[in-house]
Amino acid sequence: MDNTEDYIFKFQGYNFQRSLLNLELINNLDDFEIRDDDVFIVTYPKSGTIWTQHILTLIYFEKYRNRTENMTVNYRTPYFEYKKTKIDFLNRPSPRLFCSHLPYYLVPKGLKSKKAKIIYIYRNPKDVLISYYHFSNFFSGFEPSQSIECFIERFLDGKVVGSLWFDHIRGWYEHRHDFNILFVMYEEMKKDLRSSVQKISRFLEKELSEEDLDAVVNQATFENMKTNPLVNHDAIAKCYIGIRTDGSVLRKGTIGDWKNHLTVEQNERFDRIFQKRMKDFPLKFIWDMDEN
Ligand code: A3P
């Protein structure tokens, strides 16, 4: 039986997660007033959102970096369209940091003034798929799948929160000239976190001293995020979404885990669809830890 509608709210052709959605906000997206110094992290789910939320929060908030405050990453860099916190966005002091899974065509029109900044994080879709499969079985706000095969079908049909991965990345990339946007690859962050943090901070015009850069890089490693309660919010997540099994958003944090899950046939099928849909797409992807 298909329970998709229990979990997904379809709005203007895009699939939102139902239980956390801020309906009032998405009904008035066009009018949401954007400030010049707003920063949005945009991702397709499971592409490194929380990692980038943490990095931006470390860059912007000294007390978060020094661990002298107890504000969680979701408070400092909240989801835009989902109500995980009760933050009053309109009265929030600048600079406002947000993260979002919105497709390019639904974002507030003010982002097209090209002053506010967008960082788009993308990840090879086989690892996205595997990460998403585990996540959906873990969190009760998402539709579980009995097998990877069932999830592959839903993922390739776009019957998941975030809709079709191909549409999300293509849409943002093809409309990049409408926005002040930086594209950053998850795998690039994994392979060279320091350079990636520098690239991000330069784009944000927040150049870091060597000491601060060290502090950001050190705290943004997978191992250190796992032991930091301000970012590893599995305990909080259990309360606001609920969980079905043991697990973690910070699961493996690696490149190429798809090889441990996909059969040869599933992998070849995925490749065929990827090649068809991403033909002529200029961004490159990294599928393996050893690949450059
Ligand atoms: P895995 O499930 O493959 O481990 P999102 O935040 O968009 O939901 O993405 C979650 C994915 O990003 C998870 O992937 C998680 O482990 C990974 N991730 C989070 N922080 C990371 C880090 N510091 N280094 C590498 N991967 C990280």
Side-chain angles (χ1 to χ4, degrees):
M1 199 172 65
D2 187 352
N3 294 327
T4 307
E5 281 186 14
D6 292 348
Y7 301 96
I8 285 178
F9 180 80
K10 204 172 184 88
F11 177 82
Q12 299 197 9
Y14 179 77
N15 294 338
F16 288 92
Q17 198 275 346
R18 188 178 273 281
S19 62
L20 294 169
L21 186 60
N22 184 340
L23 263 179
E24 197 189 325
L25 185 125
I26 64 154
N27 278 314
N28 297 288
L29 275 171
D30 268 7
D31 303 332
F32 183 89
E33 201 168 325
I34 294 293
R35 301 182 195 152
D36 290 352
D37 52 6
D38 283 344
V39 181
F40 280 74
I41 298 163
V42 178
T43 59
Y44 183 86
K46 314 320 294 170
S47 302
T49 323
I50 193 157
W51 194 3
T52 319
Q53 284 174 274
H54 183 54
I55 291 173
L56 255 61
T57 311
L58 288 164
I59 292 175
Y60 275 85
F61 296 98
E62 192 182 347
K63 287 186 175 164
Y64 184 86
R65 194 162 63 234
N66 298 339
R67 306 284 287 269
T68 52
E69 71 166 15
N70 280 326
M71 297 291 182
T72 65
V73 73
N74 272 331
Y75 179 82
R76 284 296 185 203
T77 307
Y79 268 87
F80 182 60
E81 66 273 22
Y82 293 116
K83 289 185 286 190
K84 292 191 180 179
T85 51
K86 291 196 176 117
I87 298 170
D88 175 2
F89 292 160
L90 302 183
N91 292 308
R92 195 168 172 87
S94 287
R96 296 182 303 185
L97 309 179
F98 299 105
C99 68
S100 171
H101 296 317
L102 285 174
Y104 80 94
Y105 64 90
L106 284 183
V107 295
K109 293 288 167 278
L111 278 172
K112 288 197 171 177
S113 75
K114 295 195 179 181
K115 292 203 172 99
K117 295 182 166 72
I118 301 174
I119 299 176
Y120 187 94
I121 309 290
Y122 63 101
R123 183 182 191 186
N124 89 59
K126 292 182 194 172
D127 280 332
V128 169
L129 179 140
I130 297 304
S131 179
Y132 210 166
Y133 165 71
H134 288 287
F135 179 81
S136 309
N137 282 354
F138 170 44
F139 276 112
S140 36
F142 290 76
E143 186 176 359
S145 297
Q146 279 183 340
S147 64
I148 292 203
E149 181 57 34
C150 295
F151 189 75
I152 293 177
E153 278 182 30
R154 285 180 42 224
F155 185 82
L156 291 175
D157 276 350
K159 288 188 179 157
V160 289
V161 171
S163 297
L164 199 56
W165 179 87
F166 303 101
D167 290 346
H168 200 274
I169 187 164
R170 262 196 180 278
W172 274 103
Y173 191 76
E174 284 165 7
H175 292 84
R176 66 193 180 282
H177 300 302
D178 294 342
F179 304 102
N180 183 5
I181 188 166
L182 175 75
F183 286 82
V184 181
M185 196 203 278
Y186 171 101
E187 291 78 8
E188 193 183 314
M189 289 165 60
K190 183 75 193 172
K191 282 173 173 279
D192 189 350
L193 184 54
R194 197 179 175 84
S195 302
S196 302
V197 170
Q198 275 178 316
K199 182 172 166 183
I200 290 171
S201 61
R202 239 175 255 137
F203 174 70
L204 297 171
E205 299 167 88
K206 299 279 290 178
E207 291 276 353
L208 297 166
S209 67
E210 282 296 305
E211 194 187 336
D212 289 343
L213 178 62
D214 286 344
V216 174
V217 172
N218 178 39
Q219 292 186 62
T221 61
F222 184 75
E223 295 69 27
N224 286 342
M225 281 176 63
K226 270 202 97 84
T227 55
N228 181 345
L230 298 182
V231 65
N232 185 354
H233 54 259
D234 290 337
I236 308 165
K238 280 177 199 171
C239 306
Y240 65 69
I241 314 188
I243 58 160
R244 295 190 188 93
T245 58
D246 259 357
S248 177
V249 175
L250 298 164
R251 192 184 58 92
K252 277 206 177 165
T254 190
I255 307 171
D257 189 37
W258 58 271
K259 292 183 180 172
N260 301 317
H261 291 81
L262 298 185
T263 64
V264 172
E265 188 280 321
Q266 286 168 337
N267 183 37
E268 287 176 357
R269 192 181 346 141
F270 195 100
D271 280 344
R272 276 195 301 278
I273 295 170
F274 181 87
Q275 270 143 26
K276 196 166 144 206
R277 301 205 69 130
M278 299 305 277
K279 179 166 54 125
D280 309 329
F281 189 72
L283 292 181
K284 297 287 165 252
F285 295 90
I286 291 183
W287 307 90
D288 194 308
M289 199 62 190
D290 302 326
E291 194 181 325
N292 280 317

